[in-house]
Amino acid sequence: MQTTYRIDRRFVLSLVGIQMIGAGLTAMLAFWVWAPLGILTVLLLLNALRVGVRPPVVARTDAEGARIGGVRAAKPVSVAWSDVEDVSIRGQQMVFDLGGDSSIVFSLAYLGGRANEFVRDVYERLNTANGYSRFDPSA
């Protein structure tokens, strides 16, 4: 079963705000400079509504691995549970150690109140993938 984690509301509000400012500017230009800019105004308003109603996804987990990142976070990256050698929490960041010098850092701040749920989910899926309890979800 796949679990989807959406960006926290405090980041959604800034995304919506940026689009509303853009819509205001294009509306002003549509009235004074070029009327077809009104189409862009409508598109920006519709996108702001879409983002406000259904915030963008920043993490997904399933039995095979995780996909983290997107929107304000880093470029989306997929990682298979079998590739993860260790997971650690450093402040508000979760670090996926992939061995050697390779690691992926994900900011838990993007998840807001669901950050602890995400950490537990990652630990439980890693334990299931490894076939034993290596990672402690209470940590």
Side-chain angles (χ1 to χ4, degrees):
M1 183 173 99
Q2 184 180 57
T3 307
T4 301
Y5 299 90
R6 297 187 179 279
I7 196 164
D8 188 50
R9 285 282 173 201
R10 62 185 166 190
F11 296 106
V12 169
L13 291 176
S14 64
L15 289 172
V16 169
I18 290 168
Q19 300 211 14
M20 295 298 283
I21 290 169
L25 291 173
T26 58
M28 181 183 64
L29 290 174
F31 282 116
W32 290 341
V33 180
W34 193 47
L37 282 174
I39 295 170
L40 181 58
T41 301
V42 171
L43 291 176
L44 285 168
L45 289 172
L46 289 174
N47 195 47
L49 178 66
R50 179 190 64 84
V51 168
V53 171
R54 188 175 174 125
V57 173
V58 290
R60 281 194 169 105
T61 60
D62 59 24
E64 287 79 41
R67 181 169 184 195
I68 53 177
V71 186
R72 295 191 123 190
K75 182 178 176 184
V77 177
S78 294
V79 59
W81 298 128
S82 58
D83 294 340
V84 177
E85 290 187 7
D86 193 21
V87 173
S88 59
I89 306 292
R90 296 182 191 151
Q92 279 290 309
Q93 296 180 328
M94 179 175 255
V95 181
F96 295 83
D97 183 6
L98 305 177
D101 292 337
S102 185
S103 64
I104 298 170
V105 179
F106 177 70
S107 177
L108 296 172
Y110 291 120
L111 300 175
R114 291 192 71 194
N116 290 335
E117 179 185 342
F118 176 73
V119 170
R120 266 192 306 282
D121 187 26
V122 167
Y123 285 161
E124 288 171 4
R125 290 186 187 272
L126 279 168
N127 288 335
T128 302
N130 289 323
Y132 59 90
S133 294
R134 176 177 174 197
F135 299 99
D136 181 13
S138 64

